[in-house]
Amino acid sequence: MSNNNGKKLIKEIQNFIREKAKEFGANPDNEFNKPYVERDNTGDQALNDNGAFFGFIHPEEEPSGPYHDFSFVIFPSDKQNDFFDFYEEEFKDKYTIQGLVDALKKDKIIDEKMVIDNIEKLNKILENTELYEKILKSNEQQQITDRLTSLKEDYNNSKNKDVLKKLNRTLLETFYPQQTPKSPQNKPWLVCLGVGSLGFKNDYELATYPGLRRLFSRLINQDGFCKSDFSDIEKSLPKSITDRTDLQHLKNTIKTYTKVLPACQIVHDPQSEEGKKIITAFLAGYAKIRDWPSNQNHRKAISKALEPFLGENTINEIEEVKKLLLERKYIVLQGPPGTGKTRTAKIVTDQIGAKTFFTQFHAETSFSDFIFGIRPDTAKEELRYKENLGIFSEALKYAVEHNNEKVILIIDEINRANLSNVLGPIFYLFEHKMDISNVEIEIAPNFKIKKLPENFLVITTMNTADRSLAVVDFALRRRFAWYTLKPKKIEVEEPYKFYVEDFQRFQEIFEWYATSEELNLQPGQGYFIASTDEEMENRIRYELLPLIKEYLQEGFLRNAKEEFNNYFLSRINLSLFE
């Protein structure tokens, strides 16, 4: 059922996105460099056919007809929620008091005009003896029973509009007292990043950038969808979108464009603060990919629109790691270089107050180094050998002998060694919940155990950027809990400074161009700490530039080479390609 209020809302949101586009840097009055072409297909025929849409498309496209490339598009509706259609669809002939309560609590609002247009359906509900009796016998306040009884009598006697209005208000106040509506609620809209039905012309390379998907995936919630590959315009939307009962009024539209909507989000109330926040965020994302911002104010406006969805991670990593260690006993801290893996491990052990043992693996680390072996006794003139307890055995013995004290073994760079050779039979012991321990493992002569003691904990670290290291097999992965430390902004104490602008530039490049695997290569916050500007420039020149060169030579981040080159040229006047 179309309504004038719905059409007014469409016009209101159209004006809203035009103003937001200006805030983000789009100047539609620029005759020679238009930021977009506006599309408006919201006429009566389009609305009646459930095919209406409006939004912005690539500036090189025509004002009408099929188009290419990415677009910002909204599929609106001027129709209001029909409580009775919803009630029949959800509950069929189950006209019970519980069904009525459930329907009302799903934010489906009874509008007076809808009731008038559905008198027969309403009459059917009211004439249902079971429903009416359950209302009368409900545990609600006595005045509700009295009001409903009175309304029932009035309805039977007059069947006039005023009675219907009173009945609707009573039902809402009875079963949904906190949000009795002042106005009708429109059916949900769909806001999307779309692709023209003609496919790609200028935007195919853009569609392949992981950062594009990464951005829009953060703008959606459980009522949205984001494709895994934005360059794919052959796969249709999933049934979680196409079969939704609250989108059936847009079914024709969704069916038509199902293959060319890489990201979409249901907006339940486009007029609300939450609805406008979602629409603004999608438009801000589109502004980024179209390079609308031309000054700091434009960029700030875009950042502000995206901030609720891309907010800084406020997780206390130290507390999370500590909790995980105490729960799982054996953990791996993994992440790119400079993310503070070893530092985190040491802080956690200090906070727990544990006796700490430390070792670092390397390519030549062996079982005899780590567990037990024999070594030449250089203090003797003739060749003799002596037993050597490795760091693992030392830590384990201490834990056994001091069972009231926490003992933590830190193994740095665990994947630098051949783990099968280093761990040997003790591999079996790394079960954080070993219910059956009837197998005795010999650690060293006269030292055998069936299970690792409860007070013995292990923290290992693993550099995810070192491509030459041993692969950790699945059996070991199962025995350890894995916690990823990602690059993040930090605060440091004087005399040191954290060079946040350099860090953010690297983060932006990696976020936009890096695949999920390549994100493991992003230099951590440790690279951006220095006591002076000169020291920071030297870190860029002698640490970061060679690192990025190596990545590019190995075939990583090739799409980002010009971005990196521009950064190094502007920052230290050096090119990657010299």
Side-chain angles (χ1 to χ4, degrees):
M1 175 173 52
S2 297
N3 68 92
N4 291 328
N5 288 336
K7 292 178 182 178
K8 286 180 182 178
L9 178 58
I10 291 173
K11 295 300 180 186
E12 177 187 326
I13 299 301
Q14 286 178 318
N15 290 330
F16 175 77
I17 63 172
R18 291 187 195 108
E19 290 303 312
K20 284 295 177 183
K22 288 180 182 178
E23 286 183 31
F24 298 155
N27 181 8
D29 298 326
N30 190 332
E31 184 178 352
F32 302 103
N33 188 23
K34 285 190 174 295
Y36 59 76
V37 170
E38 184 173 357
R39 286 291 181 93
D40 180 7
N41 185 37
T42 57
D44 288 342
Q45 186 64 46
L47 288 167
N48 290 335
D49 293 342
N50 296 324
F53 68 89
F54 64 90
F56 305 132
I57 65 173
H58 194 285
E60 294 181 8
E61 295 298 314
E62 298 298 324
S64 62
Y67 62 88
H68 300 85
D69 295 330
F70 285 120
S71 60
F72 166 78
V73 60
I74 295 175
F75 297 107
S77 174
D78 67 335
K79 298 175 178 61
Q80 297 172 327
N81 278 317
D82 188 326
F83 170 78
F84 300 100
D85 285 345
F86 169 80
Y87 189 84
E88 288 194 334
E89 182 179 307
E90 291 288 314
F91 305 104
K92 304 301 180 185
D93 295 324
K94 300 176 184 176
Y95 293 117
T96 64
I97 184 66
Q98 189 58 50
L100 186 58
V101 173
D102 290 345
L104 287 166
K105 286 189 175 180
K106 283 199 172 186
D107 292 341
K108 302 298 176 178
I109 294 173
I110 302 175
D111 169 55
E112 294 162 4
K113 189 173 186 302
M114 291 179 204
V115 175
I116 295 166
D117 289 343
N118 290 273
I119 287 178
E120 291 184 5
K121 294 179 182 178
L122 177 63
N123 198 38
K124 186 177 179 182
I125 294 175
L126 290 174
E127 287 177 352
N128 185 284
T129 305
E130 182 185 2
L131 169 66
Y132 184 64
E133 287 180 353
K134 286 190 176 181
I135 290 176
L136 294 178
K137 293 177 181 178
S138 67
N139 293 324
E140 304 293 338
Q141 299 173 2
Q142 182 62 40
Q143 62 178 8
I144 294 173
T145 300
D146 295 340
R147 290 168 67 188
L148 286 173
T149 303
S150 173
L151 283 166
K152 173 78 174 188
E153 292 173 356
D154 289 346
Y155 178 80
N156 288 334
N157 292 332
S158 65
K159 298 184 180 180
N160 61 43
K161 294 180 180 180
D162 290 335
V163 172
L164 288 171
K165 292 178 182 179
K166 287 166 66 179
L167 176 61
N168 295 329
R169 183 62 57 186
T170 299
L171 288 171
L172 286 172
E173 290 174 354
T174 301
F175 300 113
Y176 205 39
Q178 300 303 317
Q179 297 187 32
T180 302
K182 295 180 180 178
S183 61
Q185 185 185 47
N186 288 285
K187 287 179 180 284
W189 293 14
L190 200 63
V191 60
C192 309
L193 177 71
V195 178
S197 57
L198 296 179
F200 292 109
K201 182 170 69 174
N202 299 301
D203 287 347
Y204 181 77
E205 184 178 353
L206 174 63
T208 65
Y209 292 159
L212 179 63
R213 183 196 178 280
R214 207 168 274 138
L215 169 62
F216 279 90
S217 68
R218 293 172 182 170
L219 305 185
I220 64 171
N221 57 30
Q222 68 276 9
D223 288 329
F225 171 73
C226 189
K227 279 189 175 182
S228 58
D229 180 1
F230 276 24
S231 65
D232 180 2
I233 53 175
E234 295 300 322
K235 290 181 181 177
S236 301
L237 290 171
K239 289 186 177 181
S240 60
I241 295 292
T242 59
D243 289 353
R244 285 186 65 124
T245 56
D246 55 351
L247 287 181
Q248 290 309 295
H249 59 291
L250 297 177
K251 189 172 184 178
N252 292 342
T253 300
I254 293 173
K255 184 177 180 181
T256 301
Y257 300 107
T258 183
K259 294 183 178 181
V260 289
L261 299 177
C264 57
Q265 173 65 43
I266 295 172
V267 180
H268 290 285
D269 183 2
Q271 205 170 14
S272 68
E273 181 180 345
E274 181 65 23
K276 287 183 177 179
K277 185 170 74 173
I278 294 170
I279 291 171
T280 302
F282 263 73
L283 184 58
Y286 189 70
K288 281 179 71 90
I289 69 176
R290 287 287 173 249
D291 292 324
W292 286 353
S294 58
N295 60 45
Q296 193 63 27
N297 288 335
H298 298 154
R299 284 184 278 274
K300 282 183 178 179
I302 290 175
S303 296
K304 184 179 178 182
L306 295 174
E307 187 177 5
F309 303 89
L310 313 179
E312 290 292 323
N313 189 345
T314 57
I315 293 173
N316 187 328
E317 290 178 335
I318 299 296
E319 286 300 318
E320 280 208 336
V321 171
K322 183 165 65 174
K323 181 180 178 182
L324 183 63
L325 177 64
L326 294 174
E327 178 185 323
R328 286 297 307 271
K329 298 182 65 177
Y330 321 119
I331 67 172
V332 177
L333 302 181
Q334 62 177 350
T339 49
K341 298 179 291 296
T342 306
R343 179 175 177 272
T344 298
K346 291 178 177 178
I347 292 174
V348 168
T349 58
D350 287 345
Q351 289 192 3
I352 291 176
K355 172 70 175 178
T356 306
F357 293 81
F358 180 90
T359 188
Q360 187 177 70
F361 279 3
H362 52 80
E364 299 301 319
T365 301
S366 64
F367 181 88
S368 60
D369 297 319
F370 187 58
I371 311 295
F372 175 81
I374 57 173
R375 290 183 177 177
D377 187 352
T378 56
K380 304 293 182 180
E381 291 185 2
E382 68 270 16
L383 180 61
R384 298 183 66 181
Y385 292 90
K386 63 180 179 179
E387 294 180 349
N388 177 65
L389 279 182
I391 189 72
F392 176 84
S393 300
E394 287 183 13
L396 186 58
K397 267 199 167 185
Y398 188 93
V400 171
E401 294 167 359
H402 302 78
N403 57 10
N404 291 324
E405 183 179 352
K406 292 288 186 186
V407 177
I408 296 179
L409 170 62
I410 299 175
I411 307 172
D412 204 27
E413 305 285 4
I414 189 174
N415 55 334
R416 285 190 174 275
N418 184 325
L419 296 179
S420 297
N421 290 343
V422 172
L423 298 178
I426 72 161
F427 182 85
Y428 162 81
L429 296 172
F430 284 97
E431 291 281 358
H432 78 286
K433 290 182 179 179
M434 185 179 285
D435 298 329
I436 302 174
S437 53
N438 54 6
V439 177
E440 198 170 53
I441 302 294
E442 184 176 28
I443 306 298
N446 302 317
F447 184 26
K448 298 178 181 180
I449 60 172
K450 292 183 177 181
K451 60 182 294 187
L452 295 177
E454 291 298 320
N455 63 322
F456 182 72
L457 311 174
V458 178
I459 305 177
T460 73
T461 71
M462 189 173 85
N463 182 350
T464 56
D466 198 329
R467 316 304 301 176
S468 63
L469 303 185
V471 176
V472 177
D473 63 36
F474 289 112
L476 183 67
R477 285 189 177 276
R478 181 183 68 78
R479 285 168 163 80
F480 281 76
W482 297 73
Y483 190 94
T484 301
L485 293 172
K486 298 178 180 179
K488 63 178 182 179
K489 288 189 286 188
I490 58 171
E491 295 181 2
V492 295
E493 297 180 358
E494 293 184 352
Y496 295 102
K497 293 190 295 182
F498 180 65
Y499 285 76
V500 64
E501 290 185 6
D502 294 295
F503 172 81
Q504 285 181 327
R505 187 67 191 115
F506 266 75
Q507 190 168 49
E508 287 170 2
I509 295 173
F510 272 86
E511 277 282 318
W512 193 253
Y513 294 100
T515 64
S516 296
E517 183 182 359
E518 289 170 341
L519 281 179
N520 292 324
L521 307 177
Q522 181 183 338
Q525 58 271 16
Y527 280 90
F528 301 92
I529 299 172
S531 55
T532 65
D533 292 348
E534 182 182 2
E535 181 185 352
M536 187 62 225
E537 288 181 10
N538 284 335
R539 299 206 72 170
I540 295 171
R541 179 178 288 106
Y542 300 119
E543 296 178 44
L544 289 169
L545 188 144
L547 180 67
I548 298 302
K549 265 189 174 181
E550 185 177 344
Y551 286 166
L552 293 173
Q553 288 169 359
E554 291 188 19
F556 299 113
L557 298 157
R558 287 183 174 176
N559 287 333
K561 63 182 179 181
E562 293 300 334
E563 294 284 353
F564 280 124
N565 192 52
N566 289 338
Y567 165 78
F568 289 120
L569 278 172
S570 61
R571 188 68 171 84
I572 57 172
N573 198 30
L574 282 178
S575 171
L576 278 170
F577 311 116
E578 290 180 354

